[in-house]
Amino acid sequence: MNRSTATAVVGLQWGDEGKGKVVDLLAASHDVIARYNGGANAGHTVVVEGERYALHLLPSGILSEDKMCVIGNGVVVDPRQLLVEIDALAERGITVDARRLLVSDRAHVVMPYHKEHDAALETALAGAADQGDENLSIGTTRRGIGPTYADKVHRSLAIRMGDLLDEQVLRRRLDIVCAIRGRELEALGVDLPPLDPEALATEYHTLGQRLAPHITDTVYALHDAAAEGRRILFEGANACLLDIDHGTFPYVTSSNCSTLGIPSGTGLPGTVISDVVGIVKAYGTRVGEGPFPTEDLGEAGERIRERGHEYGTTTGRPRRCGWLDLVAVKYSAMVCGCTSLAVMLLDVLSGFESLQLCTAYRLPDGTVSDRFIPDARRLAQVQPVWETMDGWAAEIDGMTTMDALPAEARAYLDRIAGYVGCPVEIASVGPDRKQTIRCTEAATL
Ligand code: GDP
Ligand code: IMO
Ligand code: MG
């Protein structure tokens, strides 16, 4: 196998760093674009010549006409949502045929009862918190992600994409699953008509038949592509600090969204990856619950939210905003093995007189540490140690070279690269493909 065939794109904060834009850019120099984790909880926005596309399950590479896209075995697939996205692209003149999209037969299926379970549990826990209990709700996207991965790990009641193709198997499985899940949903207080296994089997077999041309063994397909020397681009969904093992547990998602999820989520060994591009938003955002040491609840956070249009692509929720946490970014770059960084949404910071960067944490005992704490309860107790840098007044969204950028903006990028120990190869100054600056002459991206 060619050992240097693959690039990974991964978010280094809590999501929404601008991964979709970078994947779209890098798709041009790759042949295959593969998702390895997550599901429709992701929302990747790509702007191409003024046209805006919001993708949740389809890899962002699908917007580049001649690319093969893969939904790997580590993804959880909501077939209804996938077909909505395929149909929406078709209406806009982008055809997603079986040659362009492969879906793993081993990817697990998000069923309606997973979404109901996700929403019911979140509502119950938020309700308990309102009554004075500890708040155990996570602020999920309610896309059924947790319950689907739970079924995968639990095994017996799981349904995989390949199962949708055999109506008898599906029908028999759903008879049992619906009886058990129905009782669980009732216990959670879900006030919906009982689950109907017959209707579900018919609907999901029909969805499976529509997707059948795409459903295949993607592990062999990816190995074949690598063996032929085709360049593979892995598109991370969610982000390193939401990784089930390495993020701010329990306020995380249910998959390995760091690059460590690539081998298990695609069946390709990590040795195929030669480049790892860490995507960093020039400031901090977070959606849902959980600690966020650099959150700014005042004027600066509000200004970032409005300038950056920081409202969720998937749920429309206002994102929590704050300053850049370099401790967190350096940790994520370490876990993901980043070889370069792309700093996104730099234009949003124009107009601030000064910028704050978190370079260390002050712990409850007064000591100072530059190590991240991937545990929600302990991370909630730290205070950021701030470094202040000069801001810049000029709007930079029309600038296309490093030389054009204000010196303060260049200094900001240098500080990020210096602290993290990784070169910044791309600076993004707007959502469009064109609003991208290659930062070094040696930039390979
Ligand atoms: P993802 O989930 O990491 O793909 O990111 P999202 O798409 O959820 O959120 C990033 C948002 O920022 C999208 O609306 C992008 O169109 C937009 N965006 C990406 N890069 C830039 C940039 O450099 N400047 C501005 N102003 N917007 C950007
Ligand atoms: P992209 O790919 C931002 C967050 C949710 C919630 C937690 C768990 O667009 O960067 P889940 O529905 O996964 O069980 O929710 O994780 N979350 C994201 N936040 N961007 C994402 O994806 C996210 N995917 C999950 O808000 O706090
Ligand atoms: Mg997003």
Side-chain angles (χ1 to χ4, degrees):
M1 183 189 298
N2 183 341
R3 291 173 67 83
S4 58
T5 47
T7 306
V9 167
V10 64
L12 300 188
Q13 291 147 302
W14 281 285
D16 306 324
E17 297 90 352
K19 298 176 289 292
K21 171 173 169 169
V22 177
V23 169
D24 174 62
L25 280 174
L26 296 186
S29 53
H30 292 77
D31 307 299
V32 179
I33 296 90
R35 278 270 307 263
Y36 58 91
N37 79 295
N41 52 352
H44 297 177
T45 316
V46 182
V47 181
V48 185
E49 283 162 23
E51 289 272 317
R52 185 177 176 279
Y53 300 87
L55 302 165
H56 300 279
L57 269 168
L58 285 172
S60 303
I62 206 75
L63 301 174
S64 306
E65 282 280 351
D66 54 338
K67 306 298 169 184
M68 181 170 108
C69 290
V70 175
I71 295 181
N73 57 279
V75 177
V76 289
V77 180
D78 177 344
R80 282 185 192 163
Q81 170 66 27
L82 182 57
L83 284 165
V84 164
E85 285 181 41
I86 291 173
D87 291 344
L89 285 188
E91 272 177 29
R92 297 170 78 173
I94 299 174
T95 310
V96 182
D97 58 23
R99 198 179 42 86
R100 291 243 294 137
L101 177 69
L102 311 186
V103 180
S104 170
D105 52 3
R106 294 184 224 163
H108 284 249
V109 181
V110 180
M111 298 293 289
Y113 47 80
H114 291 129
K115 290 191 268 190
E116 283 159 18
H117 190 279
D118 191 359
L121 187 59
E122 283 284 301
T123 304
L125 292 172
D130 286 345
Q131 302 302 311
D133 285 350
E134 184 187 0
N135 185 7
L136 294 178
S137 73
I138 288 169
T140 72
T141 58
R142 303 187 172 211
R143 295 293 188 271
I145 305 299
T148 308
Y149 278 115
D151 269 0
K152 171 178 177 174
V153 177
H154 202 267
R155 297 155 297 166
S156 326
L157 306 183
I159 295 178
R160 308 202 291 182
M161 289 303 286
D163 298 330
L164 299 185
L165 303 178
D166 186 328
E167 195 171 2
Q168 289 314 315
V169 167
L170 190 60
R171 210 167 281 283
R172 277 206 304 273
R173 182 85 47 82
L174 281 170
D175 272 341
I176 302 169
V177 172
C178 286
I180 295 170
R181 288 287 176 257
R183 286 198 291 275
E184 288 172 2
L185 287 172
E186 209 180 300
L188 276 169
V190 172
D191 189 17
L192 285 170
L195 294 172
D196 179 346
E198 278 295 306
L200 271 183
T202 304
E203 182 189 352
Y204 278 75
H205 178 59
T206 308
L207 294 170
Q209 282 187 310
R210 263 205 72 192
L211 290 168
H214 303 276
I215 300 175
T216 187
D217 184 333
T218 52
V219 175
Y220 269 113
L222 285 167
H223 275 268
D224 288 346
E228 287 162 15
R230 299 172 76 194
R231 282 191 58 84
I232 300 168
L233 179 61
F234 296 111
E235 174 172 350
N238 329 125
C240 186
L241 301 179
L242 292 170
D243 184 289
I244 182 81
D245 286 292
H246 303 289
T248 49
F249 193 88
Y251 301 102
V252 291
T253 188
S254 306
S255 66
N256 285 118
C257 17
S258 67
T259 48
L260 304 176
I262 294 175
S264 62
T266 62
L268 280 170
T271 47
V272 302
I273 306 169
S274 54
D275 298 286
V276 178
V277 188
I279 314 301
V280 183
K281 193 177 269 193
Y283 46 89
T285 61
R286 179 163 201 168
V287 199
E289 305 292 332
F292 178 11
T294 62
E295 182 170 18
D296 188 297
L297 296 170
E299 200 216 317
E302 189 59 41
R303 195 159 141 193
I304 288 172
R305 185 174 308 109
E306 293 316 311
R307 275 187 65 90
H309 308 293
E310 291 294 356
Y311 296 88
T313 311
T314 301
T315 59
R317 288 179 287 180
R319 295 175 182 148
R320 298 158 65 191
C321 295
W323 299 109
L324 183 59
D325 184 341
L326 286 174
V327 178
V329 170
K330 185 171 181 172
Y331 162 81
S332 293
M334 173 185 80
V335 169
C336 292
C338 288
T339 53
S340 65
L341 303 177
V343 175
M344 314 300 288
L345 294 110
L346 191 63
D347 52 301
V348 174
L349 294 182
S350 286
F352 279 99
E353 210 162 287
S354 62
L355 305 169
Q356 305 270 78
L357 289 159
C358 169
T359 54
Y361 295 151
R362 192 173 307 282
L363 308 180
D365 66 3
T367 56
V368 170
S369 164
D370 63 0
R371 295 205 158 194
F372 188 67
I373 304 172
D375 172 83
R377 209 166 342 174
R378 288 198 299 132
L379 185 64
Q381 293 168 3
V382 308
Q383 292 297 326
V385 174
W386 296 112
E387 182 174 303
T388 305
M389 291 188 75
D390 288 339
W392 57 91
E395 291 297 345
I396 59 173
D397 56 349
M399 298 180 179
T400 52
T401 62
M402 279 299 272
D403 288 345
L405 280 183
E408 295 83 357
R410 283 194 310 243
Y412 191 71
L413 296 174
D414 281 347
R415 183 67 183 119
I416 296 171
Y419 187 99
V420 178
C422 208
V424 174
E425 290 209 14
I426 287 179
S428 174
V429 292
D432 203 274
R433 280 179 185 168
K434 289 192 288 280
Q435 294 171 297
T436 308
I437 298 176
R438 259 77 185 178
C439 299
T440 59
E441 283 193 9
T444 52
L445 301 178

